[in-house]
Structures are given as structure tokens and as C-alpha cells.
mmCIF file of all heavy atoms in Angstrom:
data_model
loop_
_atom_site.group_PDB
_atom_site.id
_atom_site.type_symbol
_atom_site.label_atom_id
_atom_site.label_comp_id
_atom_site.label_asym_id
_atom_site.label_seq_id
_atom_site.Cartn_x
_atom_site.Cartn_y
_atom_site.Cartn_z
ATOM 1 N N VAL A 1 0.809 -1.142 0.004
ATOM 2 C CA VAL A 1 0.004 0.049 -0.015
ATOM 3 C C VAL A 1 0.876 1.242 -0.046
ATOM 4 O O VAL A 1 0.583 2.250 -0.736
ATOM 5 C CB VAL A 1 -0.978 0.056 1.238
ATOM 6 C CG1 VAL A 1 -1.687 1.348 1.356
ATOM 7 C CG2 VAL A 1 -2.005 -1.173 1.062
ATOM 8 N N GLU A 2 1.968 1.215 0.741
ATOM 9 C CA GLU A 2 2.874 2.224 0.789
ATOM 10 C C GLU A 2 3.516 2.606 -0.491
ATOM 11 O O GLU A 2 3.440 3.711 -1.082
ATOM 12 C CB GLU A 2 3.965 2.073 1.866
ATOM 13 C CG GLU A 2 4.836 3.294 1.976
ATOM 14 C CD GLU A 2 5.960 3.066 3.169
ATOM 15 O OE1 GLU A 2 5.968 2.039 3.717
ATOM 16 O OE2 GLU A 2 6.806 3.940 3.181
ATOM 17 N N ALA A 3 4.061 1.600 -1.266
ATOM 18 C CA ALA A 3 4.608 1.801 -2.481
ATOM 19 C C ALA A 3 3.665 2.191 -3.603
ATOM 20 O O ALA A 3 3.951 2.886 -4.544
ATOM 21 C CB ALA A 3 5.349 0.484 -2.852
ATOM 22 N N ALA A 4 2.351 1.687 -3.442
ATOM 23 C CA ALA A 4 1.322 2.055 -4.374
ATOM 24 C C ALA A 4 1.149 3.585 -4.472
ATOM 25 O O ALA A 4 0.841 4.012 -5.589
ATOM 26 C CB ALA A 4 0.009 1.449 -3.981
ATOM 27 N N GLY A 5 1.420 4.220 -3.379
ATOM 28 C CA GLY A 5 1.249 5.718 -3.414
ATOM 29 C C GLY A 5 2.111 6.370 -4.537
ATOM 30 O O GLY A 5 1.830 7.312 -5.097
ATOM 31 N N LYS A 6 3.378 5.746 -4.759
ATOM 32 C CA LYS A 6 4.265 6.224 -5.714
ATOM 33 C C LYS A 6 4.013 5.745 -7.037
ATOM 34 O O LYS A 6 4.524 6.281 -8.039
ATOM 35 C CB LYS A 6 5.744 5.776 -5.319
ATOM 36 C CG LYS A 6 6.101 6.498 -3.920
ATOM 37 C CD LYS A 6 7.472 5.887 -3.527
ATOM 38 C CE LYS A 6 7.788 6.390 -2.200
ATOM 39 N NZ LYS A 6 8.968 5.792 -1.621
ATOM 40 N N MET A 7 3.066 4.863 -7.274
ATOM 41 C CA MET A 7 2.685 4.337 -8.444
ATOM 42 C C MET A 7 1.408 4.761 -9.095
ATOM 43 O O MET A 7 0.980 4.441 -10.217
ATOM 44 C CB MET A 7 2.611 2.772 -8.320
ATOM 45 C CG MET A 7 3.785 2.062 -7.713
ATOM 46 S SD MET A 7 5.218 2.127 -8.992
ATOM 47 C CE MET A 7 4.541 1.053 -10.339
ATOM 48 N N LEU A 8 0.604 5.576 -8.277
ATOM 49 C CA LEU A 8 -0.722 5.932 -8.800
ATOM 50 C C LEU A 8 -0.778 6.676 -10.074
ATOM 51 O O LEU A 8 -1.607 6.464 -10.867
ATOM 52 C CB LEU A 8 -1.511 6.686 -7.635
ATOM 53 C CG LEU A 8 -1.878 5.974 -6.480
ATOM 54 C CD1 LEU A 8 -2.551 6.848 -5.371
ATOM 55 C CD2 LEU A 8 -2.814 4.789 -6.759
ATOM 56 N N ASP A 9 0.200 7.553 -10.283
ATOM 57 C CA ASP A 9 0.213 8.266 -11.575
ATOM 58 C C ASP A 9 0.349 7.289 -12.738
ATOM 59 O O ASP A 9 -0.515 7.487 -13.686
ATOM 60 C CB ASP A 9 1.292 9.255 -11.583
ATOM 61 C CG ASP A 9 1.129 10.563 -10.779
ATOM 62 O OD1 ASP A 9 -0.097 10.817 -10.388
ATOM 63 O OD2 ASP A 9 2.081 11.209 -10.441
ATOM 64 N N GLU A 10 1.205 6.401 -12.676
ATOM 65 C CA GLU A 10 1.357 5.455 -13.766
ATOM 66 C C GLU A 10 0.364 4.272 -13.806
ATOM 67 O O GLU A 10 0.069 3.734 -14.797
ATOM 68 C CB GLU A 10 2.803 4.824 -13.775
ATOM 69 C CG GLU A 10 3.938 5.800 -14.016
ATOM 70 C CD GLU A 10 4.249 6.776 -12.901
ATOM 71 O OE1 GLU A 10 3.769 6.595 -11.762
ATOM 72 O OE2 GLU A 10 5.013 7.649 -13.172
ATOM 73 N N CYS A 11 -0.067 3.911 -12.680
ATOM 74 C CA CYS A 11 -1.020 2.785 -12.565
ATOM 75 C C CYS A 11 -2.473 3.241 -12.882
ATOM 76 O O CYS A 11 -3.277 2.425 -13.356
ATOM 77 C CB CYS A 11 -0.964 2.057 -11.270
ATOM 78 S SG CYS A 11 0.635 1.241 -10.907
ATOM 79 N N VAL A 12 -2.887 4.380 -12.331
ATOM 80 C CA VAL A 12 -4.243 4.729 -12.373
ATOM 81 C C VAL A 12 -4.474 6.126 -13.072
ATOM 82 O O VAL A 12 -5.304 6.195 -14.105
ATOM 83 C CB VAL A 12 -4.779 4.788 -10.958
ATOM 84 C CG1 VAL A 12 -6.223 5.411 -10.937
ATOM 85 C CG2 VAL A 12 -4.700 3.544 -10.218
ATOM 86 N N MET A 13 -3.842 7.205 -12.739
ATOM 87 C CA MET A 13 -4.271 8.452 -13.138
ATOM 88 C C MET A 13 -4.125 8.606 -14.580
ATOM 89 O O MET A 13 -4.950 9.252 -15.290
ATOM 90 C CB MET A 13 -3.371 9.593 -12.380
ATOM 91 C CG MET A 13 -3.441 9.506 -10.975
ATOM 92 S SD MET A 13 -5.052 9.635 -10.143
ATOM 93 C CE MET A 13 -4.659 9.672 -8.498
ATOM 94 N N GLU A 14 -3.032 8.255 -15.240
ATOM 95 C CA GLU A 14 -2.821 8.335 -16.641
ATOM 96 C C GLU A 14 -3.913 7.670 -17.558
ATOM 97 O O GLU A 14 -4.164 8.029 -18.626
ATOM 98 C CB GLU A 14 -1.525 7.746 -16.993
ATOM 99 C CG GLU A 14 -0.333 8.513 -16.704
ATOM 100 C CD GLU A 14 1.019 7.977 -17.195
ATOM 101 O OE1 GLU A 14 1.074 6.880 -17.767
ATOM 102 O OE2 GLU A 14 2.056 8.637 -16.958
ATOM 103 N N LEU A 15 -4.638 6.684 -16.929
ATOM 104 C CA LEU A 15 -5.543 5.826 -17.610
ATOM 105 C C LEU A 15 -6.870 6.484 -17.649
ATOM 106 O O LEU A 15 -7.856 6.086 -18.378
ATOM 107 C CB LEU A 15 -5.563 4.422 -17.128
ATOM 108 C CG LEU A 15 -4.423 3.656 -17.318
ATOM 109 C CD1 LEU A 15 -4.417 2.355 -16.489
ATOM 110 C CD2 LEU A 15 -4.295 3.322 -18.737
ATOM 111 N N LYS A 16 -7.249 7.453 -16.688
ATOM 112 C CA LYS A 16 -8.547 8.180 -16.642
ATOM 113 C C LYS A 16 -9.590 7.115 -16.500
ATOM 114 O O LYS A 16 -10.458 7.145 -17.415
ATOM 115 C CB LYS A 16 -8.711 9.090 -17.724
ATOM 116 C CG LYS A 16 -7.681 10.287 -17.662
ATOM 117 C CD LYS A 16 -7.881 11.252 -18.794
ATOM 118 C CE LYS A 16 -6.917 12.356 -18.944
ATOM 119 N NZ LYS A 16 -5.445 11.961 -18.919
ATOM 120 N N PRO A 17 -9.606 6.125 -15.599
ATOM 121 C CA PRO A 17 -10.524 5.044 -15.480
ATOM 122 C C PRO A 17 -11.973 5.453 -15.024
ATOM 123 O O PRO A 17 -12.072 6.540 -14.373
ATOM 124 C CB PRO A 17 -9.855 4.117 -14.632
ATOM 125 C CG PRO A 17 -9.204 5.080 -13.764
ATOM 126 C CD PRO A 17 -8.686 6.148 -14.469
ATOM 127 N N ALA A 18 -12.876 4.720 -15.327
ATOM 128 C CA ALA A 18 -14.216 4.938 -14.809
ATOM 129 C C ALA A 18 -14.393 4.143 -13.494
ATOM 130 O O ALA A 18 -15.134 4.503 -12.595
ATOM 131 C CB ALA A 18 -15.339 4.391 -15.760
ATOM 132 N N LYS A 19 -13.553 3.101 -13.386
ATOM 133 C CA LYS A 19 -13.577 2.224 -12.198
ATOM 134 C C LYS A 19 -12.126 1.824 -11.861
ATOM 135 O O LYS A 19 -11.323 1.521 -12.749
ATOM 136 C CB LYS A 19 -14.410 0.943 -12.316
ATOM 137 C CG LYS A 19 -15.901 1.275 -12.657
ATOM 138 C CD LYS A 19 -16.625 -0.075 -12.866
ATOM 139 C CE LYS A 19 -18.117 0.378 -13.221
ATOM 140 N NZ LYS A 19 -18.892 -0.810 -13.526
ATOM 141 N N VAL A 20 -11.771 1.753 -10.441
ATOM 142 C CA VAL A 20 -10.559 1.345 -10.032
ATOM 143 C C VAL A 20 -10.878 0.202 -8.987
ATOM 144 O O VAL A 20 -11.673 0.469 -8.036
ATOM 145 C CB VAL A 20 -9.753 2.458 -9.430
ATOM 146 C CG1 VAL A 20 -8.370 1.815 -8.843
ATOM 147 C CG2 VAL A 20 -9.465 3.568 -10.486
ATOM 148 N N ILE A 21 -10.160 -0.979 -9.090
ATOM 149 C CA ILE A 21 -10.249 -1.925 -8.110
ATOM 150 C C ILE A 21 -8.831 -2.016 -7.392
ATOM 151 O O ILE A 21 -7.860 -2.329 -8.044
ATOM 152 C CB ILE A 21 -10.520 -3.317 -8.680
ATOM 153 C CG1 ILE A 21 -11.864 -3.198 -9.473
ATOM 154 C CG2 ILE A 21 -10.570 -4.397 -7.696
ATOM 155 C CD1 ILE A 21 -12.135 -4.366 -10.431
ATOM 156 N N PHE A 22 -8.888 -1.809 -6.137
ATOM 157 C CA PHE A 22 -7.626 -1.976 -5.270
ATOM 158 C C PHE A 22 -7.685 -3.373 -4.689
ATOM 159 O O PHE A 22 -8.683 -3.771 -4.005
ATOM 160 C CB PHE A 22 -7.608 -0.878 -4.202
ATOM 161 C CG PHE A 22 -7.053 0.527 -4.627
ATOM 162 C CD1 PHE A 22 -8.041 1.453 -4.875
ATOM 163 C CD2 PHE A 22 -5.785 0.711 -4.767
ATOM 164 C CE1 PHE A 22 -7.556 2.688 -5.324
ATOM 165 C CE2 PHE A 22 -5.343 2.065 -5.209
ATOM 166 C CZ PHE A 22 -6.275 2.997 -5.457
ATOM 167 N N ALA A 23 -6.595 -4.037 -4.877
ATOM 168 C CA ALA A 23 -6.542 -5.384 -4.300
ATOM 169 C C ALA A 23 -5.069 -5.480 -3.651
ATOM 170 O O ALA A 23 -4.211 -6.273 -3.966
ATOM 171 C CB ALA A 23 -6.602 -6.497 -5.294
ATOM 172 N N LEU A 24 -4.991 -4.633 -2.632
ATOM 173 C CA LEU A 24 -3.673 -4.530 -1.908
ATOM 174 C C LEU A 24 -3.701 -5.203 -0.508
ATOM 175 O O LEU A 24 -4.859 -5.165 0.100
ATOM 176 C CB LEU A 24 -3.156 -3.018 -1.885
ATOM 177 C CG LEU A 24 -2.912 -2.460 -3.264
ATOM 178 C CD1 LEU A 24 -2.801 -0.919 -3.057
ATOM 179 C CD2 LEU A 24 -1.633 -2.882 -3.667
ATOM 180 N N GLY A 25 -2.583 -5.416 0.026
ATOM 181 C CA GLY A 25 -2.481 -5.985 1.374
ATOM 182 C C GLY A 25 -1.982 -7.249 1.610
ATOM 183 O O GLY A 25 -1.583 -7.688 2.800
ATOM 184 N N ALA A 26 -1.799 -8.038 0.578
ATOM 185 C CA ALA A 26 -1.241 -9.479 0.635
ATOM 186 C C ALA A 26 0.210 -9.318 1.132
ATOM 187 O O ALA A 26 0.552 -10.225 1.982
ATOM 188 C CB ALA A 26 -1.321 -10.144 -0.757
ATOM 189 N N GLU A 27 0.908 -8.419 0.671
ATOM 190 C CA GLU A 27 2.360 -8.212 1.192
ATOM 191 C C GLU A 27 2.344 -7.896 2.639
ATOM 192 O O GLU A 27 3.273 -8.558 3.383
ATOM 193 C CB GLU A 27 3.078 -7.199 0.322
ATOM 194 C CG GLU A 27 3.152 -7.455 -1.181
ATOM 195 C CD GLU A 27 3.724 -8.736 -1.537
ATOM 196 O OE1 GLU A 27 4.872 -9.142 -0.925
ATOM 197 O OE2 GLU A 27 3.188 -9.448 -2.344
ATOM 198 N N GLU A 28 1.563 -7.060 3.048
ATOM 199 C CA GLU A 28 1.547 -6.586 4.442
ATOM 200 C C GLU A 28 1.096 -7.646 5.279
ATOM 201 O O GLU A 28 1.557 -7.865 6.381
ATOM 202 C CB GLU A 28 0.687 -5.317 4.670
ATOM 203 C CG GLU A 28 1.191 -4.145 3.969
ATOM 204 C CD GLU A 28 0.894 -3.831 2.546
ATOM 205 O OE1 GLU A 28 0.413 -4.810 1.865
ATOM 206 O OE2 GLU A 28 1.076 -2.756 2.123
ATOM 207 N N ALA A 29 0.125 -8.467 4.894
ATOM 208 C CA ALA A 29 -0.375 -9.556 5.711
ATOM 209 C C ALA A 29 0.705 -10.615 6.016
ATOM 210 O O ALA A 29 0.556 -11.325 7.142
ATOM 211 C CB ALA A 29 -1.559 -10.258 4.939
ATOM 212 N N GLN A 30 1.687 -10.726 5.336
ATOM 213 C CA GLN A 30 2.824 -11.720 5.592
ATOM 214 C C GLN A 30 3.904 -11.207 6.506
ATOM 215 O O GLN A 30 4.663 -11.941 6.921
ATOM 216 C CB GLN A 30 3.387 -12.118 4.239
ATOM 217 C CG GLN A 30 2.464 -12.737 3.253
ATOM 218 C CD GLN A 30 1.741 -13.988 3.801
ATOM 219 O OE1 GLN A 30 2.343 -14.835 4.468
ATOM 220 N NE2 GLN A 30 0.521 -14.103 3.398
ATOM 221 N N ARG A 31 3.805 -9.898 6.838
ATOM 222 C CA ARG A 31 4.824 -9.341 7.598
ATOM 223 C C ARG A 31 4.644 -9.620 9.133
ATOM 224 O O ARG A 31 3.524 -9.383 9.673
ATOM 225 C CB ARG A 31 4.945 -7.824 7.481
ATOM 226 C CG ARG A 31 5.356 -7.493 6.116
ATOM 227 C CD ARG A 31 5.528 -6.001 5.985
ATOM 228 N NE ARG A 31 6.135 -5.552 4.626
ATOM 229 C CZ ARG A 31 6.197 -4.262 4.272
ATOM 230 N NH1 ARG A 31 5.576 -3.296 4.908
ATOM 231 N NH2 ARG A 31 6.696 -4.070 3.093
ATOM 232 N N GLU A 32 5.707 -9.855 9.822
ATOM 233 C CA GLU A 32 5.655 -10.110 11.266
ATOM 234 C C GLU A 32 5.364 -8.687 12.072
ATOM 235 O O GLU A 32 4.742 -8.748 13.106
ATOM 236 C CB GLU A 32 6.971 -10.668 11.803
ATOM 237 C CG GLU A 32 7.051 -12.161 11.433
ATOM 238 C CD GLU A 32 8.335 -12.726 11.917
ATOM 239 O OE1 GLU A 32 8.837 -12.281 12.974
ATOM 240 O OE2 GLU A 32 8.783 -13.735 11.389
ATOM 241 N N ASP A 33 5.820 -7.717 11.500
ATOM 242 C CA ASP A 33 5.637 -6.279 12.098
ATOM 243 C C ASP A 33 4.543 -5.513 11.481
ATOM 244 O O ASP A 33 4.410 -4.290 11.659
ATOM 245 C CB ASP A 33 6.864 -5.485 11.942
ATOM 246 C CG ASP A 33 7.144 -5.068 10.394
ATOM 247 O OD1 ASP A 33 6.711 -5.795 9.556
ATOM 248 O OD2 ASP A 33 8.010 -4.226 10.181
ATOM 249 N N PHE A 34 3.438 -6.210 11.117
ATOM 250 C CA PHE A 34 2.278 -5.651 10.501
ATOM 251 C C PHE A 34 1.585 -4.866 11.590
ATOM 252 O O PHE A 34 1.261 -5.211 12.604
ATOM 253 C CB PHE A 34 1.317 -6.770 9.953
ATOM 254 C CG PHE A 34 -0.008 -6.188 9.462
ATOM 255 C CD1 PHE A 34 -0.060 -5.465 8.390
ATOM 256 C CD2 PHE A 34 -1.188 -6.454 10.196
ATOM 257 C CE1 PHE A 34 -1.235 -4.932 7.807
ATOM 258 C CE2 PHE A 34 -2.375 -6.048 9.655
ATOM 259 C CZ PHE A 34 -2.385 -5.150 8.583
ATOM 260 N N ASN A 35 1.149 -3.564 11.089
ATOM 261 C CA ASN A 35 0.519 -2.678 11.923
ATOM 262 C C ASN A 35 -0.807 -2.281 11.151
ATOM 263 O O ASN A 35 -0.768 -1.610 10.214
ATOM 264 C CB ASN A 35 1.308 -1.399 12.175
ATOM 265 C CG ASN A 35 0.615 -0.415 12.994
ATOM 266 O OD1 ASN A 35 -0.439 -0.068 12.796
ATOM 267 N ND2 ASN A 35 1.456 0.079 14.028
ATOM 268 N N LEU A 36 -1.975 -2.854 11.784
ATOM 269 C CA LEU A 36 -3.205 -2.588 11.008
ATOM 270 C C LEU A 36 -3.664 -1.147 10.855
ATOM 271 O O LEU A 36 -4.105 -0.716 9.853
ATOM 272 C CB LEU A 36 -4.335 -3.405 11.793
ATOM 273 C CG LEU A 36 -5.693 -3.382 11.223
ATOM 274 C CD1 LEU A 36 -5.733 -3.890 9.741
ATOM 275 C CD2 LEU A 36 -6.723 -4.078 12.009
ATOM 276 N N LYS A 37 -3.409 -0.379 11.970
ATOM 277 C CA LYS A 37 -3.790 1.047 11.894
ATOM 278 C C LYS A 37 -2.984 1.756 10.868
ATOM 279 O O LYS A 37 -3.547 2.567 10.048
ATOM 280 C CB LYS A 37 -3.623 1.762 13.254
ATOM 281 C CG LYS A 37 -3.995 3.192 13.219
ATOM 282 C CD LYS A 37 -3.889 3.993 14.471
ATOM 283 C CE LYS A 37 -4.229 5.435 14.482
ATOM 284 N NZ LYS A 37 -4.466 6.001 13.166
ATOM 285 N N LYS A 38 -1.636 1.678 10.756
ATOM 286 C CA LYS A 38 -0.924 2.255 9.730
ATOM 287 C C LYS A 38 -1.215 1.728 8.333
ATOM 288 O O LYS A 38 -1.419 2.679 7.436
ATOM 289 C CB LYS A 38 0.647 1.843 10.026
ATOM 290 C CG LYS A 38 1.475 2.457 9.024
ATOM 291 C CD LYS A 38 2.969 2.229 9.329
ATOM 292 C CE LYS A 38 3.903 2.673 8.247
ATOM 293 N NZ LYS A 38 5.325 2.293 8.453
ATOM 294 N N PHE A 39 -1.633 0.457 8.225
ATOM 295 C CA PHE A 39 -2.032 0.009 6.888
ATOM 296 C C PHE A 39 -3.253 0.591 6.444
ATOM 297 O O PHE A 39 -3.406 1.067 5.341
ATOM 298 C CB PHE A 39 -2.158 -1.506 6.985
ATOM 299 C CG PHE A 39 -2.862 -2.166 5.805
ATOM 300 C CD1 PHE A 39 -2.105 -2.360 4.617
ATOM 301 C CD2 PHE A 39 -4.185 -2.583 5.943
ATOM 302 C CE1 PHE A 39 -2.751 -3.001 3.560
ATOM 303 C CE2 PHE A 39 -4.815 -3.195 4.906
ATOM 304 C CZ PHE A 39 -4.019 -3.398 3.671
ATOM 305 N N ILE A 40 -4.321 0.791 7.394
ATOM 306 C CA ILE A 40 -5.622 1.259 7.062
ATOM 307 C C ILE A 40 -5.565 2.744 6.735
ATOM 308 O O ILE A 40 -6.062 3.218 5.757
ATOM 309 C CB ILE A 40 -6.611 1.079 8.159
ATOM 310 C CG1 ILE A 40 -6.975 -0.493 8.156
ATOM 311 C CG2 ILE A 40 -7.903 1.881 7.886
ATOM 312 C CD1 ILE A 40 -7.523 -1.070 6.855
ATOM 313 N N ASP A 41 -4.619 3.540 7.536
ATOM 314 C CA ASP A 41 -4.438 4.933 7.214
ATOM 315 C C ASP A 41 -3.765 5.101 5.899
ATOM 316 O O ASP A 41 -4.193 6.022 5.163
ATOM 317 C CB ASP A 41 -3.437 5.569 8.341
ATOM 318 C CG ASP A 41 -4.153 5.648 9.625
ATOM 319 O OD1 ASP A 41 -5.342 5.599 9.718
ATOM 320 O OD2 ASP A 41 -3.398 5.858 10.628
ATOM 321 N N GLN A 42 -2.832 4.226 5.540
ATOM 322 C CA GLN A 42 -2.196 4.352 4.113
ATOM 323 C C GLN A 42 -3.175 4.074 3.065
ATOM 324 O O GLN A 42 -3.148 4.761 2.041
ATOM 325 C CB GLN A 42 -0.969 3.537 4.046
ATOM 326 C CG GLN A 42 0.214 3.997 4.917
ATOM 327 C CD GLN A 42 1.395 3.021 4.869
ATOM 328 O OE1 GLN A 42 1.212 1.902 4.645
ATOM 329 N NE2 GLN A 42 2.550 3.510 5.176
ATOM 330 N N TYR A 43 -3.904 3.017 3.276
ATOM 331 C CA TYR A 43 -4.982 2.688 2.295
ATOM 332 C C TYR A 43 -5.999 3.707 2.073
ATOM 333 O O TYR A 43 -6.348 4.065 0.946
ATOM 334 C CB TYR A 43 -5.639 1.396 2.807
ATOM 335 C CG TYR A 43 -6.037 0.351 1.612
ATOM 336 C CD1 TYR A 43 -5.456 -0.914 1.628
ATOM 337 C CD2 TYR A 43 -7.001 0.729 0.718
ATOM 338 C CE1 TYR A 43 -5.921 -1.795 0.705
ATOM 339 C CE2 TYR A 43 -7.329 -0.191 -0.241
ATOM 340 C CZ TYR A 43 -6.841 -1.389 -0.270
ATOM 341 O OH TYR A 43 -7.168 -2.318 -1.300
ATOM 342 N N GLU A 44 -6.381 4.305 3.110
ATOM 343 C CA GLU A 44 -7.459 5.443 3.119
ATOM 344 C C GLU A 44 -6.807 6.549 2.327
ATOM 345 O O GLU A 44 -7.530 7.210 1.531
ATOM 346 C CB GLU A 44 -7.739 5.879 4.513
ATOM 347 C CG GLU A 44 -8.791 7.022 4.545
ATOM 348 C CD GLU A 44 -9.330 7.403 5.891
ATOM 349 O OE1 GLU A 44 -8.660 7.189 6.911
ATOM 350 O OE2 GLU A 44 -10.458 7.871 5.944
ATOM 351 N N TRP A 45 -5.468 6.904 2.437
ATOM 352 C CA TRP A 45 -4.920 7.952 1.780
ATOM 353 C C TRP A 45 -4.952 7.683 0.263
ATOM 354 O O TRP A 45 -5.152 8.553 -0.616
ATOM 355 C CB TRP A 45 -3.588 8.282 2.270
ATOM 356 C CG TRP A 45 -3.032 9.516 1.632
ATOM 357 C CD1 TRP A 45 -1.988 9.622 0.806
ATOM 358 C CD2 TRP A 45 -3.496 10.883 1.790
ATOM 359 N NE1 TRP A 45 -1.794 10.847 0.398
ATOM 360 C CE2 TRP A 45 -2.684 11.729 1.046
ATOM 361 C CE3 TRP A 45 -4.463 11.459 2.576
ATOM 362 C CZ2 TRP A 45 -2.902 13.067 0.952
ATOM 363 C CZ3 TRP A 45 -4.746 12.813 2.440
ATOM 364 C CH2 TRP A 45 -3.857 13.548 1.583
ATOM 365 N N ARG A 46 -4.679 6.463 -0.122
ATOM 366 C CA ARG A 46 -4.634 6.127 -1.531
ATOM 367 C C ARG A 46 -6.055 6.157 -2.123
ATOM 368 O O ARG A 46 -6.224 6.686 -3.245
ATOM 369 C CB ARG A 46 -4.225 4.630 -1.683
ATOM 370 C CG ARG A 46 -2.901 4.228 -1.163
ATOM 371 C CD ARG A 46 -1.741 5.160 -1.665
ATOM 372 N NE ARG A 46 -0.470 4.898 -0.884
ATOM 373 C CZ ARG A 46 0.066 5.780 0.004
ATOM 374 N NH1 ARG A 46 -0.457 6.815 0.227
ATOM 375 N NH2 ARG A 46 1.154 5.357 0.598
#
């Protein structure tokens, strides 16, 4: 989710989509130091 913030221009904005599906979180779910609040805050910002 954090890295996606740096990818939004190339992944989403340039395409001018009608719909966007976010399917992020699989990487974070595997981390031992996973912080749910930080994850949700970053996701909300995206």
C-alpha cells in the first residue's frame, strides 16, 4: 500500500478510468511487524 502511493500516476491517473479496483494488502499480511492502523491509514490515503 505504501509503494502504491508512488505508483498511482502510472497505474491509475494516466488511464483516466471509470472504475478502479484496489487489491492490496497481501504483502503486508505476511509481515511479522504488520500494523493494522498504519495499513488502513495508508490505504485510506490512496
